[in-house]
Amino acid sequence: SSAGTGGFSNRNASVGAYNSVAIEMIITVFILLFSLNFAVYFLLITRRWKDALESDELRFFFLIVAGATVLITLANLGVYSSVWESLRYAVFQVASIISTTGFATADYVLWPQFSQLILILIMFCGACAGSTGGGMKCSRILTLLRAIRRDLHHITHPRSVEVVKLDGKVISEETLHSLLVFVGAYVLLVFGAALIISLDGFSFATSFSASLTCVSNVGPGLEVIGPTGNFSAFSPLSKGVMSLCMIAGRLEIFPVLMLFSPTAWRKT
């Protein structure tokens, strides 16, 4: 389940049922390893250590993990009795959510809103491209941020010529356009599904997190569908929409959207 970032456990309380620091740390390490681009492992096997460690996505991924863990640890100091206990639960939940595994050792629905919002943000981000994880992928987020920085610099310096690079390679404008289209489709799918799910009368946090967690293939969400909850209370319509969202998220959206395009069914 860790290797496939699936998140299924043989206990209702997930990994938290074992209450073992050793088990939690082992799972944390491996779900993070399976969240990395498998091309990095190829570079390591072929002894191209420098190329592997200089991967922009790899460094960005661990920067997000470290940053989210520190922020949640500090925000949860009032929830737990010590810094180490807060760190223990923060690092596991962050690793589980960003890898889209969905394991849990704590009911983060009881955490401060700040901590829950960080988890929502890393649900959007997801794991690295070429991994077993879901989400929007770190490489896309990093490329998008660099494109925004490039455009902001161009606004202040109209005559400047600057390109967007990833791993030292120039990203074409066509690729950047495709990236923006994908991000737009991703966001529209999340909000569109949340709109339909909201017909069930649950709160915004429940409806939105249900949509997001399905598109990103994470598993648990907030409030009703938190780590200690489930999706049984939703209507058949919502369950059908969420099932479609899970498939669309795993297939990177566009193959599923093509099924609803009239031109895809026309004879050539």
Side-chain angles (χ1 to χ4, degrees):
S1 189
S2 297
T5 60
F8 286 104
S9 175
N10 58 351
R11 301 290 183 91
N12 288 334
S14 190
V15 179
Y18 299 102
N19 193 27
S20 170
V21 176
I23 291 176
E24 293 170 19
M25 293 309 298
I26 292 171
I27 292 177
T28 298
V29 169
F30 279 95
I31 58 180
L32 289 177
L33 288 176
F34 281 105
S35 300
L36 304 182
N37 192 324
F38 276 51
V40 172
Y41 295 120
F42 174 77
L43 293 175
L44 293 175
I45 292 173
T46 55
R47 298 184 180 181
R48 295 162 63 184
W49 306 93
K50 185 178 180 181
D51 292 337
L53 296 177
E54 288 182 349
S55 169
D56 291 339
E57 185 182 31
L58 177 68
R59 291 183 289 184
F60 182 67
F61 174 76
F62 281 114
L63 179 63
I64 294 177
V65 172
T69 299
V70 170
L71 290 175
I72 292 178
T73 299
L74 295 176
N76 290 356
L77 290 179
V79 179
Y80 298 105
S81 57
S82 67
V83 176
W84 296 112
E85 186 180 14
S86 180
L87 177 62
R88 168 190 174 184
Y89 292 111
V91 68
F92 187 89
Q93 264 56 237
V94 167
S96 177
I97 295 298
I98 198 169
S99 66
T100 69
T101 305
F103 283 138
T105 57
D107 187 4
Y108 53 76
V109 173
L110 304 177
W111 287 1
Q113 291 292 316
F114 179 78
S115 300
Q116 295 184 42
L117 181 57
I118 292 177
L119 294 180
I120 288 293
L121 292 176
I122 61 177
M123 276 186 192
F124 264 112
C125 182
C128 298
S131 70
T132 60
M136 200 177 292
K137 302 298 191 301
C138 286
S139 59
R140 290 193 178 101
I141 300 296
L142 179 58
T143 304
L144 180 63
L145 292 175
R146 290 183 172 178
I148 293 173
R149 183 186 63 182
R150 190 270 305 268
D151 287 356
L152 289 175
H153 185 265
H154 183 71
I155 291 173
T156 55
H157 301 84
R159 296 185 179 181
S160 64
V161 178
E162 188 176 348
V163 295
V164 178
K165 293 183 178 182
L166 190 68
D167 293 334
K169 299 178 181 178
V170 176
I171 300 176
S172 67
E173 294 300 320
E174 182 180 355
T175 302
L176 289 176
H177 174 73
S178 299
L179 170 64
L180 293 176
V181 172
F182 176 84
V183 172
Y186 198 98
V187 173
L188 287 176
L189 178 61
V190 170
F191 279 97
L195 184 64
I196 299 175
I197 295 171
S198 66
L199 294 174
D200 285 351
F202 293 107
S203 67
F204 173 79
T206 298
S207 300
F208 178 76
S209 64
S211 173
L212 177 59
T213 194
C214 288
V215 176
S216 295
N217 302 130
V218 177
L222 299 178
E223 295 186 353
V224 176
I225 55 171
T228 60
N230 56 63
F231 292 79
S232 61
F234 288 95
S235 66
L237 173 62
S238 293
K239 291 176 182 176
V241 169
M242 289 187 285
S243 298
L244 183 61
C245 284
M246 286 186 279
I247 296 173
R250 178 50 63 185
L251 296 178
E252 301 279 301
I253 298 179
F254 287 120
V256 175
L257 292 181
M258 287 296 295
L259 296 176
F260 298 94
S261 175
T263 57
W265 298 93
R266 293 175 185 170
K267 293 183 179 180
T268 57

